[in-house]
Protein backbone atom coordinates (compact mmCIF):
# COMPACT_ATOMS: atom_id res chain seq x y z
CA UNK A 1 0.00 0.00 0.00
CA UNK A 2 1.28 3.44 -0.83
CA UNK A 3 0.21 7.02 -1.15
CA UNK A 4 -0.41 8.54 -4.60
CA UNK A 5 1.32 11.76 -5.45
CA UNK A 6 -0.44 14.60 -7.20
CA UNK A 7 -0.47 18.38 -7.41
CA UNK A 8 -2.95 21.07 -6.47
CA UNK A 9 -3.99 24.02 -8.59
CA UNK A 10 -1.00 26.06 -7.48
CA UNK A 11 1.41 23.32 -8.33
CA UNK A 12 2.11 22.30 -4.75
CA UNK A 13 2.87 18.65 -4.22
CA UNK A 14 0.08 16.69 -2.55
CA UNK A 15 -0.16 13.09 -1.37
CA UNK A 16 -3.42 11.14 -1.46
CA UNK A 17 -3.79 8.23 0.91
CA UNK A 18 -5.95 5.11 0.53
CA UNK A 19 -9.04 6.85 1.88
CA UNK A 20 -8.72 9.61 -0.65
CA UNK A 21 -7.56 12.21 1.90
CA UNK A 22 -4.99 14.65 0.58
CA UNK A 23 -1.90 15.43 2.64
CA UNK A 24 0.22 18.52 2.31
CA UNK A 25 3.67 18.11 0.93
CA UNK A 26 6.91 19.45 2.39
CA UNK A 27 6.65 22.88 0.79
CA UNK A 28 3.15 23.37 2.18
CA UNK A 29 4.34 22.39 5.68
CA UNK A 30 7.21 24.85 5.48
CA UNK A 31 4.87 27.59 4.43
CA UNK A 32 2.48 26.80 7.26
CA UNK A 33 5.33 26.79 9.79
CA UNK A 34 6.47 30.18 8.53
CA UNK A 35 2.97 31.48 9.20
CA UNK A 36 2.56 29.81 12.64
CA UNK A 37 5.77 31.00 14.30
CA UNK A 38 5.21 34.74 13.76
CA UNK A 39 1.72 34.25 15.17
CA UNK A 40 3.10 32.52 18.24
CA UNK A 41 5.77 35.18 18.75
CA UNK A 42 3.17 37.91 18.44
CA UNK A 43 0.91 36.14 20.94
CA UNK A 44 3.73 35.71 23.46
CA UNK A 45 4.75 39.34 22.98
CA UNK A 46 1.20 40.48 23.67
CA UNK A 47 1.00 38.29 26.80
CA UNK A 48 4.34 39.60 28.08
CA UNK A 49 3.30 43.17 27.37
CA UNK A 50 0.02 42.66 29.21
CA UNK A 51 1.86 41.13 32.19
CA UNK A 52 4.27 44.08 32.32
CA UNK A 53 1.37 46.51 32.10
CA UNK A 54 -0.49 44.72 34.92
CA UNK A 55 2.65 44.72 37.05
CA UNK A 56 3.13 48.43 36.40
CA UNK A 57 -0.50 49.18 37.26
CA UNK A 58 -0.23 47.05 40.41
CA UNK A 59 2.92 48.92 41.46
CA UNK A 60 1.20 52.25 40.89
CA UNK A 61 -1.84 51.04 42.85
CA UNK A 62 0.25 49.81 45.80
CA UNK A 63 2.27 53.06 45.80
CA UNK A 64 -0.95 55.06 45.81
CA UNK A 65 -2.20 52.99 48.76
CA UNK A 66 1.04 53.64 50.69
CA UNK A 67 0.73 57.37 50.00
CA UNK A 68 -2.90 57.33 51.11
CA UNK A 69 -2.13 55.42 54.33
CA UNK A 70 0.79 57.69 55.18
CA UNK A 71 -1.08 60.92 54.51
CA UNK A 72 -4.25 59.75 56.22
CA UNK A 73 -2.30 58.71 59.31
CA UNK A 74 -3.47 55.08 59.17
CA UNK A 75 0.11 53.77 59.18
CA UNK A 76 0.93 55.66 62.38
CA UNK A 77 -2.37 54.52 63.86
CA UNK A 78 -1.44 50.91 63.05
CA UNK A 79 1.96 51.31 64.73
CA UNK A 80 0.42 52.83 67.83
CA UNK A 81 -2.21 50.09 68.05
CA UNK A 82 0.45 47.34 67.93
CA UNK A 83 2.61 49.12 70.50
CA UNK A 84 -0.27 49.76 72.91
CA UNK A 85 -1.96 46.38 72.70
CA UNK A 86 1.26 44.38 73.08
CA UNK A 87 2.87 46.39 75.85
CA UNK A 88 -0.31 46.76 77.90
CA UNK A 89 -1.16 43.05 77.78
CA UNK A 90 2.02 41.01 77.32
CA UNK A 91 3.99 40.66 80.58
CA UNK A 92 7.31 42.44 80.41
CA UNK A 93 7.50 42.56 76.62
CA UNK A 94 8.49 45.69 74.73
CA UNK A 95 8.06 46.38 71.02
CA UNK A 96 10.90 47.76 68.95
CA UNK A 97 10.34 51.33 67.78
CA UNK A 98 12.04 51.89 64.42
CA UNK A 99 12.00 55.35 62.94
CA UNK A 100 10.65 53.94 59.67
CA UNK A 101 8.78 50.69 60.33
CA UNK A 102 8.45 48.26 57.43
CA UNK A 103 4.73 47.98 56.67
CA UNK A 104 3.41 45.71 53.94
CA UNK A 105 0.10 46.66 52.32
CA UNK A 106 -2.14 44.20 50.48
CA UNK A 107 -4.41 45.18 47.57
CA UNK A 108 -7.32 45.02 50.01
CA UNK A 109 -5.75 47.72 52.22
CA UNK A 110 -4.69 45.33 54.97
CA UNK A 111 -1.51 46.47 56.70
CA UNK A 112 1.03 43.92 57.95
CA UNK A 113 4.20 44.31 59.94
CA UNK A 114 6.74 42.22 61.85
CA UNK A 115 8.54 43.80 64.80
CA UNK A 116 11.13 42.57 67.27
CA UNK A 117 10.13 42.01 70.89
CA UNK A 118 12.57 42.55 73.72
CA UNK A 119 12.91 42.68 77.49
CA UNK A 120 14.83 45.21 79.53
CA UNK A 121 17.59 43.35 81.39
CA UNK A 122 19.92 45.77 83.12
CA UNK A 123 20.53 48.41 80.50
CA UNK A 124 20.34 45.83 77.72
CA UNK A 125 17.37 45.49 75.42
CA UNK A 126 17.42 41.71 74.92
CA UNK A 127 15.52 40.38 71.88
CA UNK A 128 13.15 37.62 72.98
CA UNK A 129 10.82 37.19 70.00
CA UNK A 130 8.76 38.79 67.25
CA UNK A 131 5.23 40.02 66.84
CA UNK A 132 3.41 39.51 63.54
CA UNK A 133 0.51 41.94 63.32
CA UNK A 134 -2.04 43.00 60.73
CA UNK A 135 -4.77 45.61 60.59
CA UNK A 136 -7.64 45.29 58.12
CA UNK A 137 -9.38 48.22 56.46
CA UNK A 138 -12.27 47.67 58.90
CA UNK A 139 -9.94 48.33 61.85
CA UNK A 140 -9.63 44.72 63.09
CA UNK A 141 -6.21 44.18 64.68
CA UNK A 142 -4.84 40.66 65.03
CA UNK A 143 -1.40 39.57 66.08
CA UNK A 144 0.66 36.55 67.08
CA UNK A 145 3.65 36.55 69.39
CA UNK A 146 6.57 34.27 68.56
CA UNK A 147 8.82 33.88 71.59
CA UNK A 148 12.42 32.79 71.26
CA UNK A 149 14.61 31.39 74.00
CA UNK A 150 18.28 30.40 74.21
CA UNK A 151 17.26 27.34 76.22
CA UNK A 152 15.00 24.43 75.32
CA UNK A 153 11.53 24.52 76.92
CA UNK A 154 12.28 27.74 78.80
CA UNK A 155 9.31 29.90 79.73
CA UNK A 156 10.60 33.37 80.50
CA UNK A 157 7.22 35.05 80.95
CA UNK A 158 6.70 36.72 84.32
CA UNK A 159 3.67 35.48 86.25
CA UNK A 160 1.86 37.32 89.01
CA UNK A 161 -0.47 35.87 91.63
CA UNK A 162 -3.47 37.80 92.91
CA UNK A 163 -3.43 38.58 96.63
CA UNK A 164 -5.64 36.21 98.60
CA UNK A 165 -7.66 39.16 99.89
CA UNK A 166 -9.00 39.69 96.36
CA UNK A 167 -10.58 36.24 96.14
CA UNK A 168 -11.36 35.37 99.75
CA UNK A 169 -13.04 37.33 102.51
CA UNK A 170 -11.53 35.23 105.29
CA UNK A 171 -7.90 35.60 106.22
CA UNK A 172 -5.72 32.97 104.56
CA UNK A 173 -2.14 32.48 105.51
CA UNK A 174 -0.02 33.03 102.44
CA UNK A 175 2.18 30.21 101.27
CA UNK A 176 5.88 30.59 102.04
CA UNK A 177 7.54 32.87 99.54
CA UNK A 178 8.94 31.10 96.50
CA UNK A 179 12.65 31.72 96.87
CA UNK A 180 13.98 28.98 94.62
CA UNK A 181 14.57 31.46 91.80
CA UNK A 182 16.32 33.80 94.20
CA UNK A 183 18.59 30.94 95.28
CA UNK A 184 19.61 30.55 91.67
CA UNK A 185 21.04 34.05 91.86
CA UNK A 186 23.42 32.85 94.58
CA UNK A 187 25.21 30.88 91.89
CA UNK A 188 25.58 33.93 89.63
CA UNK A 189 28.55 36.24 89.94
CA UNK A 190 28.11 39.87 90.84
CA UNK A 191 29.18 40.95 87.37
CA UNK A 192 25.71 40.23 86.04
CA UNK A 193 22.32 41.88 85.76
CA UNK A 194 18.97 40.10 85.64
CA UNK A 195 15.22 40.55 85.34
CA UNK A 196 12.95 39.46 88.19
CA UNK A 197 9.22 39.61 88.81
CA UNK A 198 7.39 39.23 92.11
CA UNK A 199 3.88 39.47 93.53
CA UNK A 200 2.72 41.32 96.62
CA UNK A 201 0.57 40.00 99.46
CA UNK A 202 -1.88 42.87 99.18
CA UNK A 203 -3.13 45.32 96.61
CA UNK A 204 -1.47 48.71 96.87
CA UNK A 205 -1.26 52.01 95.01
CA UNK A 206 1.66 52.08 92.56
CA UNK A 207 3.19 54.98 94.52
CA UNK A 208 3.39 52.77 97.61
CA UNK A 209 5.13 49.92 95.79
CA UNK A 210 7.49 52.40 94.17
CA UNK A 211 8.34 53.73 97.62
CA UNK A 212 9.09 50.21 98.92
CA UNK A 213 11.60 49.77 96.09
CA UNK A 214 13.19 53.20 96.40
CA UNK A 215 16.01 51.91 98.62
CA UNK A 216 17.17 49.38 96.04
CA UNK A 217 19.46 50.04 93.10
CA UNK A 218 16.88 48.63 90.71
CA UNK A 219 14.69 49.85 87.88
CA UNK A 220 10.97 49.09 87.63
CA UNK A 221 9.86 48.20 84.11
CA UNK A 222 6.20 47.42 84.82
CA UNK A 223 3.51 46.59 87.38
CA UNK A 224 0.44 44.34 87.01
CA UNK A 225 -2.78 46.28 87.54
CA UNK A 226 -5.83 44.79 89.26
CA UNK A 227 -8.93 45.83 87.34
CA UNK A 228 -11.70 43.62 88.68
CA UNK A 229 -10.68 40.35 87.03
CA UNK A 230 -12.30 37.24 88.55
CA UNK A 231 -14.49 39.42 90.77
CA UNK A 232 -16.24 41.80 88.39
CA UNK A 233 -15.82 39.56 85.32
CA UNK A 234 -14.38 36.12 84.59
CA UNK A 235 -10.81 36.40 83.33
CA UNK A 236 -8.25 34.17 85.02
CA UNK A 237 -7.56 30.70 86.35
CA UNK A 238 -5.98 28.71 89.17
CA UNK A 239 -3.83 25.59 88.98
CA UNK A 240 -5.55 22.52 90.37
CA UNK A 241 -6.78 23.00 93.94
CA UNK A 242 -4.38 25.87 94.51
CA UNK A 243 -5.65 29.14 95.93
CA UNK A 244 -3.16 30.99 93.74
CA UNK A 245 -5.01 32.78 90.95
CA UNK A 246 -3.45 34.05 87.75
CA UNK A 247 -5.16 36.58 85.51
CA UNK A 248 -4.45 38.26 82.23
CA UNK A 249 -3.97 41.86 83.24
CA UNK A 250 -3.02 45.35 82.23
CA UNK A 251 0.56 46.45 82.80
CA UNK A 252 1.38 49.85 84.19
CA UNK A 253 4.54 50.94 82.38
CA UNK A 254 6.49 54.15 81.96
CA UNK A 255 4.48 56.48 79.78
CA UNK A 256 4.92 57.25 76.10
CA UNK A 257 4.41 60.50 74.29
CA UNK A 258 2.38 60.62 71.07
CA UNK A 259 1.95 63.43 68.61
CA UNK A 260 -1.43 64.37 67.15
CA UNK A 261 -0.77 62.10 64.15
CA UNK A 262 -0.18 59.14 66.54
CA UNK A 263 3.54 59.02 65.86
CA UNK A 264 5.74 58.27 68.86
CA UNK A 265 7.56 61.30 70.21
CA UNK A 266 9.18 59.97 73.41
CA UNK A 267 9.26 57.05 75.80
CA UNK A 268 10.90 55.88 79.01
CA UNK A 269 12.47 52.49 79.64
CA UNK A 270 12.03 52.53 83.43
CA UNK A 271 10.24 54.25 86.25
CA UNK A 272 12.90 56.62 87.54
CA UNK A 273 13.40 56.31 91.32
CA UNK A 274 14.30 59.95 91.82
CA UNK A 275 11.17 61.40 90.21
CA UNK A 276 8.49 58.88 89.26
CA UNK A 277 7.21 58.34 92.79
CA UNK A 278 5.72 61.82 92.53
CA UNK A 279 4.95 61.53 88.82
CA UNK A 280 3.12 58.21 89.12
CA UNK A 281 -0.33 59.82 88.68
CA UNK A 282 0.85 61.04 85.29
CA UNK A 283 1.81 57.50 84.26
CA UNK A 284 -1.54 56.20 85.52
CA UNK A 285 -3.51 58.80 83.57
CA UNK A 286 -1.51 57.99 80.47
CA UNK A 287 -2.40 54.29 80.84
CA UNK A 288 -6.09 55.14 81.11
CA UNK A 289 -5.99 57.37 78.04
CA UNK A 290 -4.08 54.71 76.10
CA UNK A 291 -6.71 52.07 76.91
CA UNK A 292 -9.45 54.48 75.87
CA UNK A 293 -7.61 55.22 72.63
CA UNK A 294 -7.30 51.49 71.86
CA UNK A 295 -10.99 50.88 72.47
CA UNK A 296 -11.99 53.78 70.22
CA UNK A 297 -9.50 53.21 67.40
CA UNK A 298 -8.93 49.47 67.09
CA UNK A 299 -10.89 46.25 67.28
CA UNK A 300 -8.89 43.42 68.90
CA UNK A 301 -9.25 40.27 70.97
CA UNK A 302 -9.83 41.26 74.58
CA UNK A 303 -11.44 44.60 73.73
CA UNK A 304 -14.61 43.81 75.70
CA UNK A 305 -12.55 42.91 78.78
CA UNK A 306 -10.59 46.14 78.46
CA UNK A 307 -13.83 48.13 78.45
CA UNK A 308 -14.70 46.49 81.78
CA UNK A 309 -11.19 47.04 83.12
CA UNK A 310 -11.27 50.71 82.19
CA UNK A 311 -14.67 51.18 83.85
CA UNK A 312 -13.38 49.45 87.00
CA UNK A 313 -10.20 51.50 87.42
CA UNK A 314 -12.01 54.76 86.63
CA UNK A 315 -14.41 53.96 89.47
CA UNK A 316 -12.03 52.32 91.97
CA UNK A 317 -8.63 53.74 91.10
CA UNK A 318 -5.47 51.89 90.08
CA UNK A 319 -3.92 49.31 92.39
CA UNK A 320 -1.08 46.95 91.61
CA UNK A 321 -0.02 43.60 93.02
CA UNK A 322 3.57 43.10 91.89
CA UNK A 323 6.34 44.41 89.69
CA UNK A 324 8.95 43.45 87.15
CA UNK A 325 12.34 44.87 88.08
CA UNK A 326 15.85 44.67 86.72
CA UNK A 327 19.30 45.49 88.00
CA UNK A 328 22.42 43.97 89.59
CA UNK A 329 22.11 40.43 90.89
CA UNK A 330 23.22 41.52 94.36
CA UNK A 331 20.36 44.03 94.60
CA UNK A 332 17.79 41.50 93.40
CA UNK A 333 18.86 39.10 96.14
CA UNK A 334 18.00 41.72 98.75
CA UNK A 335 14.32 41.66 97.77
CA UNK A 336 13.71 38.53 99.83
CA UNK A 337 14.14 40.73 102.90
CA UNK A 338 10.76 42.34 102.20
CA UNK A 339 7.88 40.46 103.91
CA UNK A 340 5.43 42.09 101.48
CA UNK A 341 6.88 40.27 98.46
CA UNK A 342 6.34 36.69 97.33
CA UNK A 343 6.37 34.40 94.29
CA UNK A 344 9.68 35.50 92.78
CA UNK A 345 10.18 34.61 89.11
CA UNK A 346 13.63 34.94 87.60
CA UNK A 347 13.85 36.06 83.99
CA UNK A 348 16.85 36.66 81.77
CA UNK A 349 20.41 37.02 83.11
CA UNK A 350 23.02 39.03 81.21
CA UNK A 351 26.57 40.24 81.73
CA UNK A 352 27.00 43.53 83.58
CA UNK A 353 25.53 46.62 82.05
CA UNK A 354 24.55 49.01 84.80
CA UNK A 355 25.49 52.53 85.82
Amino acid sequence: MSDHKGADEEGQVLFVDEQGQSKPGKRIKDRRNRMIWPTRVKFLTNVLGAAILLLLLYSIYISAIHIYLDRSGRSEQFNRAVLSVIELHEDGLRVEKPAFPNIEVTPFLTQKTTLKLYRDVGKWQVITGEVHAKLTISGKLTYSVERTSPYLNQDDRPAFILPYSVMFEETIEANPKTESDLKLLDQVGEGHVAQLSFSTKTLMPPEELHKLLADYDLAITGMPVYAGELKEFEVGYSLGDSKDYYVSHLSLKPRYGFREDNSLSMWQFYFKPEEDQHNMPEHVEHMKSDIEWMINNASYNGEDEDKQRLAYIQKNGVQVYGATVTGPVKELQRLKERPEFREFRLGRIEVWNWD
Side-chain angles (χ1 to χ4, degrees):
M1 296 182 181
S2 61
D3 294 335
H4 301 283
K5 184 167 67 174
D8 63 5
E9 295 178 354
E10 296 181 358
Q12 301 293 335
V13 178
L14 296 173
F15 291 91
V16 181
D17 59 17
E18 293 178 340
Q19 286 75 32
Q21 300 294 323
S22 61
K23 297 180 180 179
K26 182 176 184 301
R27 281 181 292 177
I28 293 178
K29 290 181 179 180
D30 292 343
R31 182 180 178 184
R32 181 179 295 175
N33 289 338
R34 286 194 299 270
M35 295 174 63
I36 290 175
W37 279 108
T39 302
R40 289 177 176 176
V41 171
K42 184 177 180 180
F43 174 75
L44 292 175
T45 301
N46 290 338
V47 170
L48 181 61
I52 293 174
L53 178 60
L54 289 175
L55 181 61
L56 178 61
L57 292 175
Y58 178 77
S59 300
I60 294 173
Y61 175 65
I62 293 297
S63 298
I65 291 176
H66 275 284
I67 294 172
Y68 161 72
L69 293 175
D70 289 339
R71 291 187 176 179
S72 65
R74 291 182 62 88
S75 294
E76 298 295 348
Q77 181 174 322
F78 177 38
N79 287 330
R80 179 174 180 180
V82 175
L83 172 66
S84 297
V85 171
I86 294 293
E87 297 202 356
L88 278 170
H89 296 90
E90 299 292 334
D91 284 333
L93 288 181
R94 299 294 182 87
V95 182
E96 72 167 318
K97 304 164 183 68
F100 303 100
N102 182 24
I103 298 178
E104 175 189 351
V105 183
T106 71
F108 301 102
L109 299 181
T110 294
Q111 300 179 79
K112 298 180 179 180
T113 189
T114 297
L115 295 168
K116 298 293 184 185
L117 297 173
Y118 66 92
R119 295 184 184 277
D120 294 308
V121 184
K123 295 302 175 65
W124 300 109
Q125 282 76 57
V126 181
I127 296 175
T128 56
E130 288 183 338
V131 57
H132 306 277
K134 66 179 180 179
L135 182 70
T136 64
I137 186 62
S138 65
K140 178 67 175 179
L141 174 68
T142 58
Y143 71 89
S144 62
V145 172
E146 180 181 336
R147 288 179 169 87
T148 57
S149 171
Y151 307 107
L152 187 64
N153 299 324
Q154 182 191 30
D155 184 358
D156 65 343
R157 288 172 289 178
F160 301 97
I161 296 175
L162 283 175
Y164 292 147
S165 59
V166 173
M167 299 303 302
F168 308 100
E169 293 182 2
E170 69 273 17
T171 301
I172 296 179
E173 184 63 28
N175 293 329
K177 293 185 297 183
T178 302
E179 296 184 7
S180 58
D181 281 9
L182 285 180
K183 290 179 180 178
L184 291 175
L185 292 177
D186 294 337
Q187 312 302 320
V188 181
E190 292 187 7
H192 292 79
V193 291
Q195 182 193 56
L196 187 76
S197 66
F198 62 86
S199 302
T200 58
K201 292 183 179 180
T202 61
L203 296 175
M204 61 182 68
E207 296 90 344
E208 182 179 340
L209 181 54
H210 192 284
K211 186 177 180 180
L212 291 176
L213 293 168
D215 294 333
Y216 298 86
D217 184 20
L218 298 171
I220 307 171
T221 61
M223 304 178 190
V225 174
Y226 178 66
E229 300 89 350
L230 285 177
K231 292 288 282 187
E232 301 291 324
F233 54 96
E234 291 296 322
V235 176
Y237 61 93
S238 64
L239 298 176
D241 296 329
S242 172
K243 291 183 171 60
D244 293 333
Y245 285 86
Y246 304 82
V247 300
S248 58
H249 57 81
L250 299 171
S251 294
L252 175 61
K253 294 181 305 299
R255 69 182 181 88
Y256 298 108
F258 293 99
R259 302 183 181 92
E260 290 186 2
D261 63 356
N262 291 317
S263 62
L264 193 62
S265 60
M266 60 78 64
W267 68 91
Q268 291 180 216
F269 290 107
Y270 316 107
F271 290 112
K272 299 176 181 178
E274 66 276 9
E275 60 184 57
D276 281 320
Q277 183 176 341
H278 304 290
N279 293 341
M280 194 61 69
E282 183 179 349
H283 296 284
V284 169
E285 288 304 315
H286 171 76
M287 182 188 70
K288 293 179 182 178
S289 64
D290 209 22
I291 300 170
E292 190 171 2
W293 183 91
M294 287 192 309
I295 293 171
N296 293 332
N297 293 276
S299 175
Y300 57 94
N301 292 333
E303 179 184 354
D304 292 338
E305 287 82 2
D306 280 352
K307 290 178 181 178
Q308 296 178 78
R309 289 184 174 109
L310 180 60
Y312 182 89
I313 61 178
Q314 285 177 335
K315 178 181 178 180
N316 300 281
V318 170
Q319 290 186 301
V320 299
Y321 56 98
T324 301
V325 296
T326 187
V329 166
K330 185 177 180 180
E331 288 297 300
L332 293 172
Q333 290 171 322
R334 293 178 55 209
L335 291 176
K336 61 186 177 183
E337 302 168 357
R338 305 295 315 192
E340 301 92 340
F341 302 160
R342 67 181 182 126
E343 197 66 23
F344 296 100
R345 299 292 181 91
L346 180 61
R348 299 293 294 267
I349 301 173
E350 299 292 336
V351 296
W352 184 269
N353 186 5
W354 196 255
D355 294 337

